[in-house]
Amino acid sequence: GAGVSQSPSNKVTEKGKDVELRCDPISGHTALYWYRQSLGQGLEFLIYFQGNSAPDKSGLPSDRFSAERTGGSVSTLTIQRTQQEDSAVYLCASSLVGSAGGAEQYFGPGTRLTVT
Amino acid sequence: AQSVTQLGSHVSVSEGALVLLRCNYSSSVPPYLFWYVQYPNQGLQLLLKYTSAATLVKGINGFEAEFKKSETSFHLTKPSAHMSDAAEYFCAVSFQGAQKLVFGQGTRLTINP
């Protein structure tokens, strides 16, 4: 079956512009996650959705970052007024969720964001 | 604080040799443990996971990992390295009650012919 898909695969934007990154999870997966991968910080958790709500958004680095999920499916990560330090690969993952964690997360190929 | 540490950012082995990638976690309660592999310009692929059913976990591509509570470790091994194993490997932890994964720093595995 289809895996997690993300678009665009690459995005180059100018400092100060807003960007939107999209994630399509595996069909039937109720949980969706965003992570960021950068050279200096490694792999960092950003936000977790269960259905359309986000019970854990502790990893969002600033109020310039926001995310939403609609219909329990597609999610969009928005970065406003982008800065050069936002340059990274943004990874999306989805899973069937267990009550206490431990669910296998399946990752998309990522969106490489470059802020010039 | 709860954390996960991978010892060695870069490991190099000869083709056919044993692969050993180290992972230690810090938590008073054993977490869920995972190993992921990332090939160049690709996303993360799950190799295996530990969820308390058995301490020795077998994964894909001939990899396995052993959970040792006394050592708070979950090291990844493969008896005989293949050129196609060259990639970056991440140990990840899901602490009890949390859904998010906390990742180690990653270990880049190089296979020498």
Side-chain angles (χ1 to χ4, degrees):
Chain A
V4 178
S5 61
Q6 293 185 245
S7 60
S9 55
N10 280 283
K11 176 72 176 178
V12 180
T13 190
E14 292 180 353
K15 178 181 173 181
K17 301 282 190 182
D18 298 351
V19 295
E20 286 188 352
L21 311 179
R22 176 188 169 105
C23 173
D24 280 274
I26 292 172
S27 178
H29 279 190
T30 55
L32 185 147
Y33 314 77
W34 284 97
Y35 295 86
R36 180 169 70 174
Q37 184 174 26
S38 59
L39 280 175
Q41 302 299 322
L43 271 158
E44 305 172 281
F45 165 79
L46 296 177
I47 188 169
Y48 152 63
F49 286 93
Q50 171 56 28
N52 292 334
S53 63
D56 188 352
K57 52 180 79 170
S58 61
L60 294 178
S62 75
D63 58 8
R64 295 187 296 104
F65 287 72
S66 63
E68 65 174 10
R69 188 179 186 196
T70 55
S73 182
V74 172
S75 175
T76 302
L77 177 69
T78 300
I79 308 173
Q80 296 179 308
R81 306 181 302 281
T82 52
Q83 303 294 314
Q84 288 188 330
E85 61 263 28
D86 300 334
S87 296
V89 176
Y90 290 81
L91 293 166
C92 177
S94 70
S95 75
L96 297 170
V97 66
S99 60
E104 297 177 13
Q105 296 185 22
Y106 296 88
F107 283 79
T111 293
R112 181 175 298 277
L113 175 66
T114 303
V115 181
T116 63
Chain B
Q2 298 172 325
S3 64
V4 56
T5 301
Q6 290 181 242
L7 187 62
S9 60
H10 190 191
V11 170
S12 182
V13 303
S14 299
E15 190 174 18
L18 171 71
V19 174
L20 171 60
L21 304 182
R22 300 177 188 272
C23 174
N24 288 85
Y25 67 90
S26 173
S27 173
S28 58
V29 177
Y32 300 105
L33 295 148
F34 305 81
W35 276 98
Y36 282 86
V37 61
Q38 187 176 37
Y39 298 101
N41 299 314
Q42 295 187 26
L44 297 165
Q45 180 181 5
L46 180 66
L47 276 177
L48 49 82
K49 72 171 186 179
Y50 167 76
T51 55
S52 79
T55 57
L56 183 62
V57 181
K58 294 188 183 298
I60 63 171
N61 301 340
F63 285 92
E64 61 183 34
E66 184 174 10
F67 171 69
K68 292 187 177 180
K69 183 178 178 180
S70 62
E71 298 178 7
T72 59
S73 68
F74 190 57
H75 301 332
L76 181 71
T77 60
K78 182 174 181 177
S80 177
H82 190 272
M83 295 299 291
S84 60
D85 294 328
E88 187 144 21
Y89 291 79
F90 293 92
C91 180
V93 173
S94 172
F95 294 105
Q96 294 285 350
Q99 301 293 338
K100 67 184 180 184
L101 291 175
V102 176
F103 287 88
Q105 305 93 315
T107 298
R108 182 166 300 279
L109 177 64
T110 302
I111 311 298
N112 302 312

